[in-house]
Amino acid sequence: MMYNVRGENIEVTPALREYVEKKIGKLERYFDRTDDVNVHVNLKVYNDGQGKIEVTIPIPHLLLRAEERHEDMYAAIDLVTDKLERQIRKHKTKVNRKLRDREKEAKLVAPVPSGASAAENNEEEFEIVRTKHFSLKPMDSEEAILQMNLLGHNFFIFTNAETNRTNIVYRRKDGKYGLIEAN
């Protein structure tokens, strides 16, 4: 795996970089090929002394992402690695179950990052502060919910494999899921 380790308000020392690579490198056992996997790690330190680590691992048909805050950066690295490992195991279990149930090949897709956020100012004008681009991949609503949960987001946009139309799944306040179908 190729590592891109960046620090904000913190110097990424060789020891810190080595620890990140060692801990996240343990996830390699879950992948068939790791030579083309890029791991993006962002380390931050806030004014209150809390450290934060964000890890993003884009792999074909799946995006793994986790973040963790802790007073000790090394502890945060351990926690985020555990979180990523749980995501991978949960994903593999669901895919294998689906393969058995349907007896056909599952199609995994790259998840959609969270959508653009908007903020309202006093003049009731809206300012777009971030724009993200992504391609919609065909899948069913069950796969879309899985991807949404893996990312820890409240919604997920996808192309419905049966209707070939854009759909959105979302988590409702009661903990259940909703589906929006575009016409």
Side-chain angles (χ1 to χ4, degrees):
M1 293 196 290
M2 301 295 295
Y3 294 89
N4 178 11
V5 183
R6 292 184 18 220
E8 294 182 27
N9 297 332
I10 184 174
E11 180 185 346
V12 181
T13 64
L16 193 57
R17 177 182 294 278
E18 183 179 311
Y19 193 76
V20 166
E21 291 178 5
K22 175 185 167 198
K23 294 303 271 188
I24 296 176
K26 291 181 179 181
L27 301 176
E28 286 186 23
R29 67 178 181 237
Y30 293 105
F31 304 116
D32 295 332
R33 293 180 50 225
T34 58
D35 53 340
D36 59 346
V37 175
N38 291 309
V39 179
H40 304 280
V41 181
N42 194 17
L43 306 170
K44 297 180 184 177
V45 174
Y46 295 100
N47 291 338
D48 63 359
Q50 289 270 318
K52 179 178 179 181
I53 179 172
E54 299 172 352
V55 179
T56 305
I57 307 174
I59 56 176
H61 311 300
L62 181 66
L63 176 72
L64 297 171
R65 185 181 183 289
E67 60 183 61
E68 197 64 51
R69 282 184 76 147
H70 199 278
E71 293 172 359
D72 179 14
M73 187 60 75
Y74 290 95
I77 294 166
D78 292 341
L79 292 170
V80 84
T81 303
D82 293 342
K83 196 178 275 190
L84 287 166
E85 189 170 17
R86 281 192 305 273
Q87 285 181 12
I88 292 168
R89 277 192 265 140
K90 183 177 179 181
H91 176 71
K92 285 194 172 216
T93 300
K94 288 191 177 191
V95 168
N96 289 338
R97 183 179 304 133
K98 191 170 196 169
L99 284 172
R100 283 192 311 266
D101 292 346
R102 294 188 178 189
E103 296 179 5
K104 68 178 185 178
E105 182 177 336
K107 295 181 181 179
L108 303 175
V109 298
V112 178
S114 63
S117 60
E120 182 177 350
N121 64 20
N122 293 339
E123 300 171 7
E124 294 194 348
E125 291 181 0
F126 296 99
E127 177 186 17
I128 297 175
V129 295
R130 186 170 185 173
T131 301
K132 294 188 177 185
H133 301 276
F134 55 89
S135 58
L136 301 178
K137 305 289 181 170
M139 66 175 69
D140 61 21
S141 58
E142 190 176 314
E143 290 174 356
I145 291 171
L146 172 66
Q147 292 291 321
M148 176 182 69
N149 288 336
L150 282 172
L151 288 171
H153 292 268
N154 294 324
F155 71 94
F156 187 86
I157 303 170
F158 66 101
T159 299
N160 188 314
E162 295 177 11
T163 64
N164 206 27
R165 293 181 181 256
T166 302
N167 286 193
I168 302 169
V169 291
Y170 63 95
R171 185 175 298 109
R172 297 166 37 99
K173 289 181 181 177
D174 62 2
K176 297 180 182 177
Y177 298 100
L179 174 68
I180 299 173
E181 299 177 326
N183 290 333

Short mmCIF file of all heavy atoms in Angstrom, two decimals, residues 1 3 20-34 37 39 55 57 59 64 66 77-78 80-89 92:
data_model
loop_
_atom_site.label_atom_id
_atom_site.label_comp_id
_atom_site.label_asym_id
_atom_site.label_seq_id
_atom_site.Cartn_x
_atom_site.Cartn_y
_atom_site.Cartn_z
N MET A 1 0.85 -1.17 0.00
CA MET A 1 0.00 0.00 0.00
C MET A 1 0.89 1.24 0.00
O MET A 1 1.95 1.25 0.60
CB MET A 1 -0.92 0.01 1.23
CG MET A 1 -1.95 -1.10 1.21
SD MET A 1 -3.35 -0.92 2.37
CE MET A 1 -2.60 -1.17 3.93
N TYR A 3 1.25 5.13 1.12
CA TYR A 3 0.73 5.98 2.18
C TYR A 3 0.98 7.45 1.87
O TYR A 3 2.06 7.83 1.48
CB TYR A 3 1.39 5.64 3.52
CG TYR A 3 1.04 4.26 4.01
CD1 TYR A 3 1.80 3.16 3.64
CD2 TYR A 3 -0.06 4.06 4.82
CE1 TYR A 3 1.47 1.89 4.06
CE2 TYR A 3 -0.39 2.79 5.26
CZ TYR A 3 0.38 1.71 4.88
OH TYR A 3 0.03 0.46 5.31
N VAL A 20 1.85 4.64 11.87
CA VAL A 20 0.66 4.64 11.00
C VAL A 20 0.77 3.52 9.98
O VAL A 20 -0.18 2.74 9.78
CB VAL A 20 0.49 6.01 10.29
CG1 VAL A 20 -0.51 5.92 9.16
CG2 VAL A 20 0.08 7.08 11.29
N GLU A 21 1.91 3.42 9.31
CA GLU A 21 2.08 2.40 8.27
C GLU A 21 2.03 0.99 8.86
O GLU A 21 1.47 0.08 8.24
CB GLU A 21 3.40 2.63 7.53
CG GLU A 21 3.38 3.89 6.68
CD GLU A 21 4.69 4.17 5.97
OE1 GLU A 21 5.62 3.33 6.05
OE2 GLU A 21 4.80 5.24 5.34
N LYS A 22 2.58 0.81 10.04
CA LYS A 22 2.58 -0.51 10.69
C LYS A 22 1.16 -0.92 11.05
O LYS A 22 0.73 -2.05 10.76
CB LYS A 22 3.45 -0.47 11.94
CG LYS A 22 3.43 -1.74 12.75
CD LYS A 22 4.22 -1.57 14.04
CE LYS A 22 3.94 -2.73 14.98
NZ LYS A 22 4.32 -2.43 16.35
N LYS A 23 0.41 -0.02 11.69
CA LYS A 23 -0.95 -0.36 12.15
C LYS A 23 -1.91 -0.54 10.99
O LYS A 23 -2.65 -1.52 10.94
CB LYS A 23 -1.47 0.71 13.12
CG LYS A 23 -0.72 0.79 14.41
CD LYS A 23 -0.72 -0.53 15.15
CE LYS A 23 -1.90 -0.64 16.05
NZ LYS A 23 -1.88 -1.81 16.93
N ILE A 24 -1.93 0.39 10.05
CA ILE A 24 -2.85 0.30 8.92
C ILE A 24 -2.40 -0.80 7.97
O ILE A 24 -3.22 -1.44 7.31
CB ILE A 24 -3.00 1.66 8.23
CG1 ILE A 24 -3.64 2.64 9.21
CG2 ILE A 24 -3.84 1.55 6.96
CD1 ILE A 24 -3.77 4.04 8.73
N GLY A 25 -1.11 -1.08 7.93
CA GLY A 25 -0.59 -2.17 7.10
C GLY A 25 -1.15 -3.53 7.49
O GLY A 25 -1.20 -4.45 6.67
N LYS A 26 -1.61 -3.67 8.73
CA LYS A 26 -2.21 -4.93 9.16
C LYS A 26 -3.51 -5.23 8.42
O LYS A 26 -3.96 -6.38 8.39
CB LYS A 26 -2.46 -4.92 10.67
CG LYS A 26 -1.17 -4.94 11.48
CD LYS A 26 -1.45 -4.95 12.96
CE LYS A 26 -0.14 -5.01 13.75
NZ LYS A 26 -0.36 -5.04 15.19
N LEU A 27 -4.11 -4.21 7.82
CA LEU A 27 -5.34 -4.40 7.06
C LEU A 27 -5.10 -5.06 5.71
O LEU A 27 -6.04 -5.50 5.05
CB LEU A 27 -6.06 -3.06 6.87
CG LEU A 27 -6.45 -2.30 8.13
CD1 LEU A 27 -7.05 -0.95 7.77
CD2 LEU A 27 -7.41 -3.11 8.98
N GLU A 28 -3.82 -5.13 5.29
CA GLU A 28 -3.49 -5.71 3.99
C GLU A 28 -3.99 -7.14 3.86
O GLU A 28 -4.29 -7.59 2.76
CB GLU A 28 -1.98 -5.67 3.75
CG GLU A 28 -1.46 -4.29 3.44
CD GLU A 28 0.02 -4.31 3.08
OE1 GLU A 28 0.53 -5.35 2.64
OE2 GLU A 28 0.66 -3.25 3.22
N ARG A 29 -4.08 -7.85 4.95
CA ARG A 29 -4.51 -9.25 4.88
C ARG A 29 -5.94 -9.41 4.35
O ARG A 29 -6.32 -10.49 3.93
CB ARG A 29 -4.38 -9.90 6.25
CG ARG A 29 -5.34 -9.35 7.29
CD ARG A 29 -5.17 -10.09 8.60
NE ARG A 29 -6.11 -9.59 9.59
CZ ARG A 29 -5.78 -9.09 10.76
NH1 ARG A 29 -4.52 -9.05 11.11
NH2 ARG A 29 -6.70 -8.65 11.58
N TYR A 30 -6.71 -8.33 4.36
CA TYR A 30 -8.09 -8.39 3.87
C TYR A 30 -8.20 -8.14 2.37
O TYR A 30 -9.26 -8.31 1.79
CB TYR A 30 -8.97 -7.38 4.61
CG TYR A 30 -9.15 -7.71 6.06
CD1 TYR A 30 -8.48 -7.00 7.04
CD2 TYR A 30 -10.00 -8.74 6.46
CE1 TYR A 30 -8.65 -7.29 8.38
CE2 TYR A 30 -10.18 -9.04 7.80
CZ TYR A 30 -9.50 -8.31 8.75
OH TYR A 30 -9.67 -8.62 10.08
N PHE A 31 -7.11 -7.70 1.74
CA PHE A 31 -7.15 -7.35 0.33
C PHE A 31 -6.43 -8.39 -0.52
O PHE A 31 -5.42 -8.95 -0.10
CB PHE A 31 -6.50 -5.98 0.09
CG PHE A 31 -7.11 -4.87 0.90
CD1 PHE A 31 -6.37 -4.21 1.86
CD2 PHE A 31 -8.43 -4.50 0.71
CE1 PHE A 31 -6.92 -3.19 2.62
CE2 PHE A 31 -8.99 -3.48 1.46
CZ PHE A 31 -8.24 -2.82 2.42
N ASP A 32 -6.94 -8.62 -1.73
CA ASP A 32 -6.28 -9.53 -2.67
C ASP A 32 -4.98 -8.92 -3.17
O ASP A 32 -3.95 -9.57 -3.20
CB ASP A 32 -7.19 -9.84 -3.86
CG ASP A 32 -8.44 -10.60 -3.43
OD1 ASP A 32 -8.38 -11.33 -2.40
OD2 ASP A 32 -9.47 -10.46 -4.10
N ARG A 33 -5.06 -7.66 -3.60
CA ARG A 33 -3.88 -6.95 -4.11
C ARG A 33 -3.77 -5.63 -3.38
O ARG A 33 -4.76 -4.93 -3.21
CB ARG A 33 -4.04 -6.67 -5.61
CG ARG A 33 -4.05 -7.92 -6.47
CD ARG A 33 -4.21 -7.59 -7.95
NE ARG A 33 -3.27 -6.56 -8.37
CZ ARG A 33 -3.61 -5.53 -9.14
NH1 ARG A 33 -4.83 -5.39 -9.56
NH2 ARG A 33 -2.70 -4.63 -9.50
N THR A 34 -2.56 -5.29 -2.97
CA THR A 34 -2.38 -4.03 -2.25
C THR A 34 -1.40 -3.10 -2.95
O THR A 34 -1.17 -2.00 -2.47
CB THR A 34 -1.87 -4.29 -0.82
OG1 THR A 34 -0.64 -5.00 -0.89
CG2 THR A 34 -2.89 -5.05 0.00
N VAL A 37 -3.18 0.18 -3.91
CA VAL A 37 -4.03 0.79 -2.89
C VAL A 37 -3.32 2.00 -2.29
O VAL A 37 -2.20 1.89 -1.82
CB VAL A 37 -4.39 -0.25 -1.79
CG1 VAL A 37 -5.17 0.43 -0.67
CG2 VAL A 37 -5.16 -1.41 -2.36
N VAL A 39 -3.45 4.89 0.60
CA VAL A 39 -4.02 5.20 1.90
C VAL A 39 -3.76 6.67 2.19
O VAL A 39 -2.62 7.11 2.18
CB VAL A 39 -3.38 4.32 3.01
CG1 VAL A 39 -3.97 4.66 4.36
CG2 VAL A 39 -3.54 2.84 2.69
N VAL A 55 -8.62 8.58 8.10
CA VAL A 55 -8.03 7.64 7.16
C VAL A 55 -9.06 7.35 6.07
O VAL A 55 -10.20 7.02 6.36
CB VAL A 55 -7.61 6.33 7.86
CG1 VAL A 55 -7.03 5.36 6.85
CG2 VAL A 55 -6.62 6.60 8.96
N ILE A 57 -9.33 5.03 2.49
CA ILE A 57 -8.72 4.00 1.65
C ILE A 57 -9.66 3.72 0.49
O ILE A 57 -10.60 2.94 0.61
CB ILE A 57 -8.43 2.70 2.42
CG1 ILE A 57 -7.62 2.99 3.69
CG2 ILE A 57 -7.70 1.70 1.53
CD1 ILE A 57 -7.41 1.78 4.59
N ILE A 59 -10.58 1.83 -2.59
CA ILE A 59 -10.24 0.60 -3.31
C ILE A 59 -11.31 0.37 -4.35
O ILE A 59 -12.41 0.92 -4.23
CB ILE A 59 -10.09 -0.60 -2.35
CG1 ILE A 59 -11.35 -0.80 -1.53
CG2 ILE A 59 -8.88 -0.45 -1.45
CD1 ILE A 59 -11.32 -2.03 -0.64
N LEU A 64 -13.27 2.92 2.06
CA LEU A 64 -13.20 2.77 3.51
C LEU A 64 -12.79 4.11 4.08
O LEU A 64 -11.84 4.74 3.60
CB LEU A 64 -12.17 1.71 3.89
CG LEU A 64 -12.47 0.30 3.41
CD1 LEU A 64 -11.27 -0.60 3.66
CD2 LEU A 64 -13.69 -0.25 4.11
N ALA A 66 -12.58 6.28 8.04
CA ALA A 66 -12.82 6.35 9.48
C ALA A 66 -12.03 7.52 10.05
O ALA A 66 -11.02 7.94 9.50
CB ALA A 66 -12.39 5.05 10.16
N ILE A 77 -4.69 6.37 16.48
CA ILE A 77 -4.33 5.51 15.35
C ILE A 77 -4.81 4.09 15.60
O ILE A 77 -5.38 3.44 14.72
CB ILE A 77 -2.80 5.55 15.10
CG1 ILE A 77 -2.38 6.94 14.63
CG2 ILE A 77 -2.38 4.49 14.09
CD1 ILE A 77 -0.88 7.19 14.66
N ASP A 78 -4.63 3.59 16.82
CA ASP A 78 -5.12 2.25 17.18
C ASP A 78 -6.63 2.17 17.02
O ASP A 78 -7.16 1.21 16.46
CB ASP A 78 -4.73 1.90 18.62
CG ASP A 78 -3.24 1.71 18.81
OD1 ASP A 78 -2.53 1.50 17.80
OD2 ASP A 78 -2.78 1.78 19.97
N VAL A 80 -8.69 4.06 15.19
CA VAL A 80 -9.15 4.18 13.81
C VAL A 80 -8.86 2.89 13.03
O VAL A 80 -9.64 2.48 12.17
CB VAL A 80 -8.58 5.44 13.12
CG1 VAL A 80 -7.19 5.22 12.57
CG2 VAL A 80 -9.50 5.93 12.02
N THR A 81 -7.76 2.22 13.35
CA THR A 81 -7.45 0.95 12.69
C THR A 81 -8.49 -0.11 13.06
O THR A 81 -8.95 -0.86 12.20
CB THR A 81 -6.03 0.47 13.09
OG1 THR A 81 -5.09 1.49 12.73
CG2 THR A 81 -5.66 -0.81 12.38
N ASP A 82 -8.86 -0.15 14.33
CA ASP A 82 -9.90 -1.08 14.77
C ASP A 82 -11.23 -0.80 14.06
O ASP A 82 -11.94 -1.71 13.64
CB ASP A 82 -10.11 -1.00 16.28
CG ASP A 82 -8.91 -1.51 17.06
OD1 ASP A 82 -8.07 -2.23 16.48
OD2 ASP A 82 -8.82 -1.18 18.27
N LYS A 83 -11.54 0.47 13.91
CA LYS A 83 -12.79 0.87 13.25
C LYS A 83 -12.78 0.43 11.78
O LYS A 83 -13.78 -0.10 11.28
CB LYS A 83 -12.95 2.39 13.36
CG LYS A 83 -14.34 2.89 13.07
CD LYS A 83 -14.44 4.40 13.23
CE LYS A 83 -14.67 4.79 14.65
NZ LYS A 83 -14.99 6.24 14.79
N LEU A 84 -11.67 0.63 11.09
CA LEU A 84 -11.56 0.21 9.69
C LEU A 84 -11.67 -1.31 9.57
O LEU A 84 -12.32 -1.83 8.65
CB LEU A 84 -10.24 0.70 9.09
CG LEU A 84 -10.14 2.19 8.81
CD1 LEU A 84 -8.70 2.58 8.53
CD2 LEU A 84 -11.04 2.57 7.64
N GLU A 85 -11.04 -2.03 10.49
CA GLU A 85 -11.11 -3.50 10.44
C GLU A 85 -12.54 -3.99 10.64
O GLU A 85 -12.99 -4.91 9.96
CB GLU A 85 -10.18 -4.09 11.50
CG GLU A 85 -10.02 -5.59 11.37
CD GLU A 85 -8.93 -6.14 12.26
OE1 GLU A 85 -8.50 -5.46 13.22
OE2 GLU A 85 -8.50 -7.28 11.99
N ARG A 86 -13.28 -3.36 11.56
CA ARG A 86 -14.69 -3.73 11.75
C ARG A 86 -15.49 -3.46 10.48
O ARG A 86 -16.35 -4.26 10.10
CB ARG A 86 -15.28 -2.95 12.92
CG ARG A 86 -14.92 -3.52 14.27
CD ARG A 86 -15.76 -2.92 15.38
NE ARG A 86 -15.73 -1.46 15.45
CZ ARG A 86 -14.82 -0.75 16.11
NH1 ARG A 86 -13.86 -1.35 16.76
NH2 ARG A 86 -14.88 0.57 16.12
N GLN A 87 -15.23 -2.33 9.81
CA GLN A 87 -15.93 -2.02 8.56
C GLN A 87 -15.67 -3.09 7.51
O GLN A 87 -16.59 -3.53 6.83
CB GLN A 87 -15.48 -0.67 8.01
CG GLN A 87 -16.02 0.53 8.74
CD GLN A 87 -15.54 1.83 8.11
OE1 GLN A 87 -14.99 1.85 7.01
NE2 GLN A 87 -15.77 2.92 8.81
N ILE A 88 -14.42 -3.48 7.38
CA ILE A 88 -14.06 -4.48 6.36
C ILE A 88 -14.74 -5.81 6.66
O ILE A 88 -15.33 -6.43 5.77
CB ILE A 88 -12.52 -4.66 6.30
CG1 ILE A 88 -11.87 -3.40 5.75
CG2 ILE A 88 -12.15 -5.86 5.44
CD1 ILE A 88 -10.35 -3.37 5.90
N ARG A 89 -14.67 -6.25 7.92
CA ARG A 89 -15.29 -7.54 8.29
C ARG A 89 -16.80 -7.50 8.09
O ARG A 89 -17.40 -8.44 7.58
CB ARG A 89 -14.94 -7.91 9.72
CG ARG A 89 -13.57 -8.57 9.80
CD ARG A 89 -13.34 -9.18 11.14
NE ARG A 89 -12.60 -8.18 11.91
CZ ARG A 89 -12.79 -7.90 13.18
NH1 ARG A 89 -13.67 -8.55 13.87
NH2 ARG A 89 -12.09 -6.97 13.78
N LYS A 92 -17.51 -7.67 4.32
CA LYS A 92 -17.29 -9.01 3.76
C LYS A 92 -18.38 -9.97 4.20
O LYS A 92 -18.83 -10.80 3.41
CB LYS A 92 -15.91 -9.53 4.16
CG LYS A 92 -14.80 -8.88 3.39
CD LYS A 92 -13.51 -9.64 3.55
CE LYS A 92 -12.49 -9.04 2.60
NZ LYS A 92 -11.61 -9.99 2.03
#
